[in-house]
Amino acid sequence: MTPSAPPILDFSPFYGSDTEAKANLVQQVRVSCEYNGFFQITGHRIPLDLQRRVMSCAKRFFNLPLDEKLAVDKNLNTFNRGYELLRSQMLEAGTGPELKEGLYIGEEISEDHPYFTHKRFNSGPNQWPTTVSDAEEFRATSMEYYHAVYELAKDVLAVLALTLDVEESFFDALMDGGVATMRMLHYPSQPKDGDEKLNRGIGAHTDFGCVTLLLQDEVDGLQVLDAPSGQWLDVHPVPGAYVVNLGNLMMRMANDRYKSNTHRVINKSGLERYSIPFFFSGNPDYLCECLPNCCMPGDQPKYPPITVEDMVTGAYKESYGRAEIYKKEMEVKAKKLEAAPAMAIVSPVLTMDNIELDKRDKGQGDHDLPQDDIGKMEVVDDAEMERFYGSSTTDAYRLKSELISQCMAEIGMGWFQWKLFVVTGFGFVIDNFASQGIGSVQPPIQLEFEGIVQVSYSSVAYYVGLILGASFWGVSSDLIGRKPAFNCTLLIAGVFLCGAAGTMNFVAFSALWAVIGTAAGGNVPIDSMILLEFIPGSHQWLLTALSAWWNLGQLIVSLLAWVFLANYSCPTDSSPDTCSRADNMGWRYTLITLGAISLVFTFIRIFIFKMPETPRYLLSQGKDQAAVDAVNFVARQNGKPEPLTLSMLQAIDVRLGINPIHEEAGLSTREIIKENMKDFRGSHYQALFATRKLTLHTVLIWVIWLTIGIAYPLYFNFLPSYLATRFTENSSLDLTYRNYCIQSAVGVVGPLSAAALVNTFFGRRWMMGISSIVTGVFLFAYVGVKTPTSSLAFSCITALLGNFEYAVMYAFTPESFPAPHRGTATGTAASLLRFGGLVASLISSHTGFTTAPIYASAALWVGVGVLCFGLPFETHGHSAI
Ligand SMILES: O=C(O)CCC(=O)C(=O)O
Ligand SMILES: [Fe+2]
């Protein structure tokens, strides 16, 4: 039989007098029940108008603000009536918490009803929303609908009886006093760029009761598994129709002759999806025995008789036991399985079950919320990351951070992150303003200021500032957060760039550059980290593209230099005696413009763009609630449903057998800083050496940064001076800066192509290694150029290649360290880079402008390339934690 979607059967012959048509219907139902237990029915007696009204109730309810929905939270009672939050269930192992919210409604059972007093399952008064519009109509329509579907369930069971060749009335005792629940469901549209493997509206499961009657709105999403072929078949909505499917209880009674089939919902439509399943279980005391004609003569039934209530209770225990086993397994895992295979481990498959099981969970009166979430939530639990990071992070942190990655994937790339890409890009622009700025204004400074022994002393001052700034802001971002650095560095750079424009002597000029250095040193590492910690894994490659902003900065400086320096500088053969301030204003115009742009950027960052502290920093500080708020803030900014709750994070603590963190409320910032400083004592550094692999990684990364730190400025920073010495006779300042603009513009291609390539199977390490070696080779070749034109061509190619490597390095480093120590690792790397710059600056000032620095630089680039291949961990394919 070729797999085909469940048949659509006309149910009306059941109500008519045409016996042949009726027999035909019975036969079709029989075939479907034997095949996979799924079919759709039209021609029933539930009016379309009632269906529309109840759907409108569902939509009205789910449109309410969260706090109003939570007023009827189903956790407020033990009998499973009320609102269930988005992402509170997880039926399928290896997927994320489910993207659906629901409202459970059942027969109105008052508190003096025997079902309530005897604590029969799922029995009690409904919780009705009071703030929904037309609240009274909401309640009346919901109950009218509930009763109408209950009647239809009776008719369906009558047909089922006929399929078994027994009287229509066979199931009357099961129907009489039967327990049933209906559930209004809302499936928000699933993010398009989200991982389909992980995101489910409802994970693959079978229903537990006797029979389910499902009303779908017009949006696709439901799929049933065709067991023989293993294919998922869409159950397209048919207006007015019901999807009928048998549950596990019916399958058991039918001795497995009839099937309870696996189904799921993935809402990829881009639309909101609503559905209303009605689960019929039956009278709690009904004895479920093997049905007539379901057991071969002479054979024993596969299952002993059981009451509906015991079946539900037993299934509950099974589910509870599974959750316990799962918890134990997590505990064992937490004690580290060194021999785990190098692949993502997903937890053991939880047997698929019905929603009704959770209701029973509540029925047991267990109100401990995280306990309730055990086994229902899932994180990918990346074993390779676990082994690599070892004890540098706790298991709780790692798993929570993975959960945040999932939430970010669900929220997807939206406006918030694109804006963040721009404002973090500002940091890269400013970094270049500073490094490029100082190189550009040094020649005119030399012409104007008296008593300069070595103009490169100002570079030394600047580099000392950079070294201090990079390590200070890096480490501080792990201790007091990412935001202080995010806000302060740009402001300091802006103010002091403007200040530097007004200096009257070389000492003041150098001192101000030292301060600018402390700010610029912190920008880039922190900005990459911030972007990384807000971006979905699918877009992590954008971190590499971030460096393109640096090239934009370079282009701006080059253009300013071209306009101002080429036109408002003393002739290159002047001296302080002949060069007056008024004739040499170009460098001041350049700096003040750079400073002003920095201040505008600062203003945008602080006052226009709103950003919370990053969720991962907050998580590393044990501030779980704040982390939840930060994630949900991003969701709201992107217009997406809020994906995370505190109990989801706490459930991880419970799984690991630790007490959920209770945050100390009301710690002031000063107290937090004090606490962190007390705790610091090098622990962030120690953590970077937690495993053998991590040690190798940390050391190699730092050596690479140090080496590039020497190699990069040796070539790029000293290029203008180098060009000037090499082609002075036939080159004007004007031409120099024009070429410089061309080179900057071409350089942009580096980070952009790197961003595309790191996301391929080459990954970060390979791309970094190859680009370093190729850069080195081109730099060797560069030495042979004879004409300004070929020099320009070479410098463009090397700029492109160098920027390529630089971009990957700046992205790979923060990605490869875990957030609790990311600032320390990245800041130290940046600090070493600047130290390299200092060394380069000293080398340059002592060798003058010869080809020697170029040779040295070339050799270092090749060396770095070789080191890259020794890096033990590839971040491509892993969401940073
Ligand atoms: O919403 C749907 O289409 C299916 C719901 C379902 O399978 C369930 O709630 O058990
Ligand atoms: Fe279901």
Side-chain angles (χ1 to χ4, degrees):
M1 192 167 175
T2 46
S4 56
I8 300 157
L9 310 179
D10 177 11
F11 201 71
S12 59
F14 174 73
Y15 303 111
S17 52
D18 181 343
T19 46
E20 197 182 325
K22 189 165 172 178
N24 213 351
L25 168 68
V26 170
Q27 174 57 13
Q28 286 175 306
V29 171
R30 184 184 293 122
V31 170
S32 298
C33 290
E34 287 175 346
Y35 183 63
N36 65 6
F38 258 88
F39 51 96
Q40 300 210 52
I41 55 171
T42 56
H44 51 76
R45 287 181 164 173
I46 300 184
L48 206 54
D49 171 61
L50 178 56
Q51 293 181 339
R52 289 202 181 116
R53 281 189 284 128
V54 76
M55 273 295 175
S56 131
C57 288
K59 290 178 188 170
R60 257 149 55 209
F61 173 76
F62 292 118
N63 260 336
L64 291 178
L66 186 63
D67 54 335
E68 293 178 24
K69 289 186 273 195
L70 282 172
V72 293
D73 190 346
K74 85 194 238 297
N75 290 312
L76 297 172
N77 62 57
T78 57
F79 38 84
N80 208 44
R81 300 289 168 87
Y83 174 64
E84 182 178 68
L85 256 175
L86 200 66
R87 287 181 147 266
S88 22
Q89 259 196 324
M90 221 258 9
L91 291 168
E92 184 183 347
T95 63
E98 294 169 354
L99 297 175
K100 63 159 187 339
E101 51 181 346
L103 178 67
Y104 290 81
I105 296 169
E107 183 58 276
E108 201 66 77
I109 304 283
S110 63
E111 296 192 355
D112 54 4
H113 190 289
Y115 276 14
F116 185 81
T117 51
H118 291 101
K119 293 203 166 75
R120 310 318 290 263
F121 70 97
N122 293 342
S123 299
N126 285 310
Q127 289 200 81
W128 296 108
T130 52
T131 53
V132 72
S133 60
D134 267 337
E136 206 30 63
E137 186 268 345
F138 182 95
R139 183 181 179 142
T141 299
S142 303
M143 288 319 294
E144 180 187 348
Y145 180 78
Y146 175 90
H147 290 128
V149 193
Y150 197 101
E151 286 308 308
L152 179 57
K154 264 188 196 162
D155 299 340
V156 169
L157 278 168
V159 172
L160 282 179
L162 294 177
T163 65
L164 297 165
D165 297 316
V166 293
E167 289 297 308
E168 271 186 35
S169 59
F170 182 85
F171 287 115
D172 283 0
L174 176 68
M175 295 295 316
D176 191 23
V179 173
T181 313
M182 76 181 200
R183 195 186 199 197
M184 294 178 176
L185 287 175
H186 169 218
Y187 301 87
S189 122
Q190 238 169 261
K192 284 234 162 30
D193 50 7
D195 187 344
E196 199 187 297
K197 284 202 197 90
L198 294 177
N199 288 326
R200 294 277 182 273
I202 184 165
H205 69 283
T206 56
D207 290 352
F208 176 73
C210 274
V211 65
T212 304
L213 300 178
L214 171 78
L215 179 65
Q216 312 188 69
D217 70 353
E218 63 281 4
V219 178
D220 275 337
L222 175 63
Q223 296 181 316
V224 304
L225 182 67
D226 182 70
S229 67
Q231 285 179 32
W232 286 99
L233 305 175
D234 291 321
V235 187
H236 295 297
V238 174
Y242 282 88
V243 178
V244 180
N245 66 288
L246 305 185
N248 299 348
L249 196 55
M250 184 58 83
M251 180 161 165
R252 176 184 167 126
M253 284 198 283
N255 208 27
D256 295 347
R257 175 180 163 195
Y258 288 173
K259 304 287 185 294
S260 162
N261 202 11
T262 305
H263 54 286
R264 67 180 187 187
V265 173
I266 303 179
N267 180 13
K268 287 181 291 189
S269 60
L271 302 167
E272 309 288 302
R273 179 176 187 273
Y274 297 86
S275 73
I276 308 183
F278 173 95
F279 305 101
F280 179 77
S281 292
N283 185 311
D285 294 323
Y286 181 83
L287 193 65
C288 305
E289 288 179 294
C290 181
L291 294 170
N293 299 315
C294 289
C295 187
M296 288 296 182
D299 280 358
Q300 283 293 313
K302 292 186 190 167
Y303 312 99
I306 189 171
T307 61
V308 168
E309 173 126 277
D310 284 349
M311 174 87 183
V312 175
T313 312
Y316 157 71
K317 284 196 183 125
E318 198 185 305
S319 134
Y320 185 77
R322 267 200 319 273
E324 278 297 295
I325 292 166
Y326 184 57
K327 185 179 161 194
K328 293 254 156 54
E329 271 165 6
M330 289 302 294
E331 279 167 12
V332 172
K333 247 183 80 46
K335 292 191 183 106
K336 299 276 172 310
L337 294 170
E338 271 304 330
M343 51 180 271
I345 292 181
V346 281
S347 68
V349 174
L350 305 182
T351 324
M352 294 135 193
D353 247 312
N354 168 285
I355 301 74
E356 308 270 311
L357 289 181
D358 315 312
K359 299 173 184 170
R360 193 58 204 177
D361 272 0
K362 300 286 158 48
Q364 291 307 94
D366 195 342
H367 290 281
D368 197 3
L369 187 63
Q371 179 81 9
D372 177 61
D373 282 347
I374 295 171
K376 284 198 249 158
M377 274 186 13
E378 185 93 3
V379 280
V380 176
D381 199 1
D382 188 331
E384 194 182 335
M385 296 248 257
E386 184 190 350
R387 279 200 310 280
F388 179 61
Y389 293 132
S391 59
S392 67
T393 69
T394 61
D395 284 316
Y397 171 81
R398 191 173 47 79
L399 295 176
K400 287 177 187 179
S401 183
E402 283 185 12
L403 183 63
I404 286 186
S405 299
Q406 280 193 21
C407 294
M408 286 302 183
E410 188 188 320
I411 293 169
M413 191 66 193
W415 263 112
F416 177 79
Q417 289 100 334
W418 285 118
K419 284 190 278 188
L420 187 63
F421 180 69
V422 175
V423 292
T424 49
F426 290 168
F428 282 72
V429 173
I430 304 301
D431 178 83
N432 194 281
F433 279 9
S435 345
Q436 207 67 36
I438 189 167
S440 304
V441 302
Q442 275 168 341
I445 287 276
Q446 216 171 355
L447 304 177
E448 183 185 330
F449 286 156
E450 303 269 353
I452 299 180
V453 183
Q454 270 283 3
V455 76
S456 60
Y457 287 166
S458 54
S459 301
V460 172
Y462 173 60
Y463 275 107
V464 170
L466 287 172
I467 294 166
L468 295 176
S471 45
F472 172 77
W473 290 115
V475 173
S476 83
S477 73
D478 284 343
L479 296 177
I480 56 169
R482 293 15 175 173
K483 276 193 79 170
F486 183 74
N487 289 338
C488 294
T489 51
L490 239 55
L491 180 66
I492 297 174
V495 169
F496 284 85
L497 275 169
C498 292
T503 47
M504 300 311 247
N505 64 64
F506 186 62
V507 175
F509 176 83
S510 304
L512 290 183
W513 276 97
V515 183
I516 295 169
T518 61
N523 273 342
V524 165
I526 308 297
D527 291 333
S528 332
M529 284 166 47
I530 291 177
L531 182 65
L532 173 66
E533 291 176 8
F534 278 114
I535 213 154
S538 58
H539 284 70
Q540 223 162 279
W541 55 270
L542 263 182
L543 211 55
T544 308
L546 203 50
S547 287
W549 289 100
W550 194 86
N551 295 79
L552 181 72
Q554 195 177 27
L555 188 61
I556 296 173
V557 178
S558 308
L559 282 171
L560 289 176
W562 192 5
V563 174
F564 291 132
L565 295 184
N567 293 317
Y568 304 100
S569 298
C570 295
T572 40
D573 55 0
S574 358
S575 69
D577 298 331
T578 55
C579 175
S580 76
R581 188 179 157 207
D583 295 335
N584 201 35
M585 288 299 279
W587 69 269
R588 296 181 192 272
Y589 296 152
T590 307
L591 290 186
I592 197 120
T593 313
L594 295 178
I597 299 175
S598 310
L599 291 175
V600 171
F601 285 176
T602 311
F603 181 83
I604 296 174
R605 264 197 184 184
I606 301 181
F607 298 107
I608 299 186
F609 180 71
K610 294 269 173 293
M611 180 188 84
E613 188 47 90
T614 75
R616 294 214 169 68
Y617 165 74
L618 294 166
L619 209 55
S620 75
Q621 299 297 305
K623 295 181 166 302
D624 287 15
Q625 180 61 57
V628 169
D629 295 343
V631 169
N632 291 339
F633 174 88
V634 179
R636 286 196 302 278
Q637 293 280 310
N638 285 1
K640 292 286 167 65
E642 299 184 357
L644 190 62
T645 62
L646 182 61
S647 71
M648 287 160 68
L649 292 179
Q650 288 179 335
I652 289 176
D653 292 323
V654 174
R655 261 189 203 182
L656 295 171
I658 45 186
N659 283 331
I661 293 165
H662 294 287
E663 292 162 29
E664 300 113 290
L667 271 194
S668 69
T669 308
R670 181 184 294 190
E671 282 165 325
I672 293 172
I673 297 173
K674 227 171 80 191
E675 279 300 305
N676 276 319
M677 291 298 176
K678 208 165 67 195
D679 160 68
F680 180 56
R681 290 197 200 98
S683 63
H684 287 289
Y685 278 106
Q686 270 168 22
L688 301 174
F689 300 91
T691 65
R692 210 178 47 78
K693 269 192 175 176
L694 189 57
T695 304
L696 177 65
H697 177 79
T698 306
V699 171
L700 279 182
I701 285 283
W702 285 352
V703 171
I704 288 171
W705 280 72
L706 175 66
T707 315
I708 292 287
I710 300 171
Y712 200 84
L714 214 48
Y715 178 74
F716 291 111
N717 254 12
F718 293 84
L719 191 68
S721 320
Y722 176 76
L723 288 181
T725 54
R726 206 170 155 90
F727 300 112
T728 31
E729 296 93 318
N730 49 13
S731 170
S732 62
L733 272 180
D734 191 53
L735 200 61
T736 305
Y737 291 120
R738 186 211 62 178
N739 289 350
Y740 208 23
C741 284
I742 296 174
Q743 186 202 317
S744 316
V746 173
V748 170
V749 179
L752 296 183
S753 52
L757 284 165
V758 292
N759 212 27
T760 64
F761 73 93
F762 287 118
R764 278 62 158 164
R765 290 178 303 186
W766 274 61
M767 283 288 88
M768 204 156 100
I770 294 170
S771 59
S772 299
I773 292 174
V774 178
T775 308
V777 170
F778 269 88
L779 291 181
F780 271 119
Y782 189 92
V783 184
V785 305
K786 300 251 157 35
T787 66
T789 318
S790 53
S791 164
L792 176 63
F794 262 92
S795 61
C796 284
I797 295 169
T798 45
L800 190 154
L801 289 167
N803 284 316
F804 186 114
E805 192 280 347
Y806 198 81
V808 184
M809 184 176 80
Y810 259 114
F812 176 71
T813 303
E815 257 181 0
S816 64
F817 290 100
H821 320 293
R822 183 171 285 145
T824 306
T826 313
T828 306
S831 192
L832 287 166
L833 178 98
R834 307 312 192 162
F835 179 73
L838 178 62
V839 173
S841 160
L842 293 174
I843 294 175
S844 287
S845 59
H846 287 97
T847 48
F849 300 116
T850 70
T851 50
I854 307 283
Y855 277 124
S857 173
L860 292 175
W861 280 92
V862 174
V864 162
V866 174
L867 289 182
C868 289
F869 293 107
L871 284 165
F873 184 67
E874 171 59 58
T875 54
H876 174 54
H878 299 274
S879 287
I881 61 161

